Amino acid sequence: MELEQMRTLWREADLKIEQHKILTNNSIEEIAQRRFSKTLSFISLSEGIGLFCTLLTALFILWNLDKLDTWYLTMSGILAVLVLIILPFLSLKSIKNLKRIDIAGTTFKKSLRDYALGKKQFLAIIKLGSYFAILIFIISILLFEKIINDRDLIKEINLVVYWFIVPIGIIFQILFSRLILKKYHEVIDVAESILKELNE
Amino acid sequence: MHKEEFIHQLKENEGIIYKVVSVYATNVEDRKDLYQEIVYQLWKSHPSFKHESKFSSWMYRVALNTSISQFKREQKRIEQVPIDTFLLNKMEQIDSLMEEEMTLLYAQIQKLSVIEKGIILLYLEGKSHDEIATITGFTPTNIGTRLSRIKIKLKSQLNTK
């Protein structure tokens, strides 16, 4: 089928489409209004809960920083607080950048580029987060044991923690990170191919 | 643009939404979702429409740009509004009118890349290279080159079938 033939076929189908109106005044307003409220509630629920939990954890560690009485526990506490605050904010910022794409005011080419670059940036933060998750998990065990039970797991060997909780936790984190990274590579490949095609 | 004028223009050109949706979304759920999202984005953006271009060109731009961001919602599907059954019935009604050849054409277009889909859609809509360039942001020469490539690609797709 040549392009001209396709164009003719398209024009014929167009006439049929034009005869069937889907939208009415009411349906347009209903879609717009309901969609608006659904979009807002979805964003506040998923992204808000994540940020709230990490900030609460960071505040808890910060509030109990004086209980971390050795140099390595203090350093671990500060590192955990920084990671728990910075990573979610970077992630939210990149999501915000993705959503900021001006659908009505920009060209197809520019929004494709912005979207592909934004997606790459967002996924780079997710990738970084998945690496930090293992570190934060181990640090958290040390910090919470010290803050809640006043026990330093570096000095006092706890067999349940060392042989059971930590290994299971690490295996879980590695499996989870692998899952995230698999998805990461799939999406990045799509974004990369769009950017490559835009430059052709 | 006033609301009444916007609704009138939207109804006049609503075929554009159906065609963009048919090119960019493959399954029924995605099509419903994209259809509603495009209507919502048009509604949200209509106060910024400045009459600098034709309303239909502006609609193509919004619809195409919305379709790009559609794949970000693959994991985050937004709940559909209850008028879906009506929308679905109407969309299916139009689908049933399509000839076998047209279904084949849509199937071939869906195999193209996200950029190529947008360009071929505008070409089939009868837009000139200059108009396609204005809507998409590529140069008219680049549009010509891309269309030649699409032509070869479609031909080879049809030959391998």
Side-chain angles (χ1 to χ4, degrees):
Chain A
M1 199 188 294
E2 290 295 324
L3 277 183
E4 268 314 312
Q5 275 175 281
M6 285 182 181
R7 225 173 178 177
T8 315
L9 191 62
W10 190 270
R11 227 172 283 136
E12 285 166 13
D14 208 23
L15 293 171
K16 290 175 188 166
I17 293 170
E18 290 304 323
Q19 283 163 10
H20 280 75
K21 298 287 180 191
I22 295 175
L23 296 171
T24 62
N25 292 21
N26 286 341
S27 69
I28 294 169
E29 294 202 33
E30 203 176 341
I31 288 173
Q33 276 156 19
R34 285 180 188 247
R35 196 88 184 176
F36 179 69
S37 56
K38 296 283 180 200
T39 309
L40 281 190
S41 62
F42 187 81
I43 291 166
S44 59
L45 194 73
S46 64
E47 289 155 15
I49 288 174
L51 187 66
F52 179 74
C53 290
T54 50
L55 283 182
L56 208 65
T57 314
L59 270 176
F60 178 75
I61 297 170
L62 210 56
W63 191 260
N64 291 290
L65 208 59
D66 58 320
K67 289 183 184 169
L68 307 172
D69 48 13
T70 58
W71 68 269
Y72 50 85
L73 284 175
T74 310
M75 291 297 283
S76 301
I78 293 169
L79 180 70
V81 168
L82 288 175
V83 172
L84 288 169
I85 291 176
I86 295 171
L87 271 179
F89 268 106
L90 283 177
S91 165
L92 272 185
K93 196 174 176 292
S94 60
I95 291 173
K96 211 174 156 191
N97 285 344
L98 268 179
K99 286 176 182 158
R100 204 186 286 154
I101 292 171
D102 181 9
I103 282 179
T106 196
T107 60
F108 183 54
K109 184 183 177 184
K110 189 167 183 308
S111 55
L112 263 172
R113 188 185 300 276
D114 290 349
Y115 186 70
L117 288 172
K119 195 89 187 174
K120 276 182 73 180
Q121 187 195 42
F122 171 66
L123 288 165
I125 292 162
I126 298 288
K127 192 178 178 181
L128 191 69
S130 73
Y131 291 145
F132 269 109
I134 298 172
L135 182 69
I136 290 295
F137 170 73
I138 297 168
I139 287 177
S140 302
I141 293 174
L142 296 177
L143 296 176
F144 281 93
E145 193 63 16
K146 180 67 187 170
I147 292 169
I148 297 166
N149 299 322
D150 195 26
R151 280 198 307 189
D152 186 341
L153 286 177
I154 301 286
K155 288 176 184 166
E156 298 170 40
I157 304 294
N158 184 321
L159 292 177
V160 177
V161 174
Y162 281 101
W163 294 103
F164 188 68
I165 299 176
V166 172
I168 287 179
I170 290 176
I171 290 168
F172 175 76
Q173 292 283 354
I174 289 172
L175 290 175
F176 187 63
S177 300
R178 280 184 65 178
L179 201 73
I180 290 176
L181 292 179
K182 188 172 174 274
K183 186 75 192 161
Y184 166 87
H185 286 297
E186 283 168 14
V187 182
I188 281 293
D189 286 348
V190 175
E192 288 285 5
S193 70
I194 289 173
L195 288 171
K196 194 177 159 219
E197 201 182 336
L198 281 171
N199 292 326
E200 279 173 1
Chain B
M1 181 183 247
H2 293 299
K3 196 173 96 178
E4 291 72 26
E5 192 194 344
F6 164 72
I7 290 176
H8 171 73
Q9 290 275 17
L10 181 59
K11 281 159 71 183
E12 281 292 300
N13 294 284
E14 68 174 270
I16 292 173
I17 309 176
Y18 178 84
K19 284 175 272 185
V20 171
V21 165
S22 302
V23 164
Y24 277 96
T26 43
N27 63 55
V28 182
E29 281 301 310
D30 286 345
R31 288 175 62 197
K32 280 193 293 182
D33 196 31
L34 183 56
Y35 198 100
Q36 294 194 1
E37 186 62 20
I38 292 173
V39 172
Y40 169 60
Q41 290 297 339
L42 287 163
W43 174 273
K44 205 173 76 170
S45 317
H46 85 268
S48 65
F49 176 65
K50 300 274 187 281
H51 295 275
E52 284 161 1
S53 59
K54 279 196 284 183
F55 185 82
S56 59
S57 299
W58 177 78
M59 255 184 91
Y60 279 116
R61 177 178 285 185
V62 175
L64 288 173
N65 287 346
T66 307
S67 304
I68 300 165
S69 57
Q70 176 71 2
F71 56 101
K72 87 179 161 199
R73 276 192 308 281
E74 277 166 9
Q75 302 150 339
K76 297 177 172 188
R77 189 177 299 285
I78 294 169
E79 201 184 318
Q80 307 276 322
V81 305
I83 56 160
D84 269 346
T85 324
F86 170 76
L87 194 68
L88 181 63
N89 288 345
K90 278 287 190 183
M91 283 170 86
E92 279 177 349
Q93 221 173 316
I94 304 175
D95 284 349
S96 64
L97 293 169
M98 295 296 160
E99 306 295 331
E100 200 185 324
E101 258 184 323
M102 197 60 197
T103 314
L104 179 68
L105 178 56
Y106 270 124
Q108 296 310 313
I109 293 172
Q110 273 169 357
K111 286 181 193 164
L112 298 172
S113 76
V114 66
I115 301 167
E116 290 168 337
K117 280 178 189 172
I119 293 172
I120 193 71
L121 171 81
L122 294 167
Y123 171 82
L124 293 172
E125 285 287 274
K127 303 281 175 203
S128 67
H129 287 201
D130 284 342
E131 281 175 299
I132 300 174
T134 310
I135 294 169
T136 58
F138 293 101
T139 62
T141 323
N142 196 252
I143 293 295
T145 315
R146 284 175 192 273
L147 272 170
S148 309
R149 262 189 245 147
I150 295 169
K151 194 175 169 181
I152 296 166
K153 214 169 179 177
L154 285 172
K155 216 169 199 176
S156 75
Q157 275 177 198
L158 287 163
N159 287 341
T160 52
K161 258 194 84 72

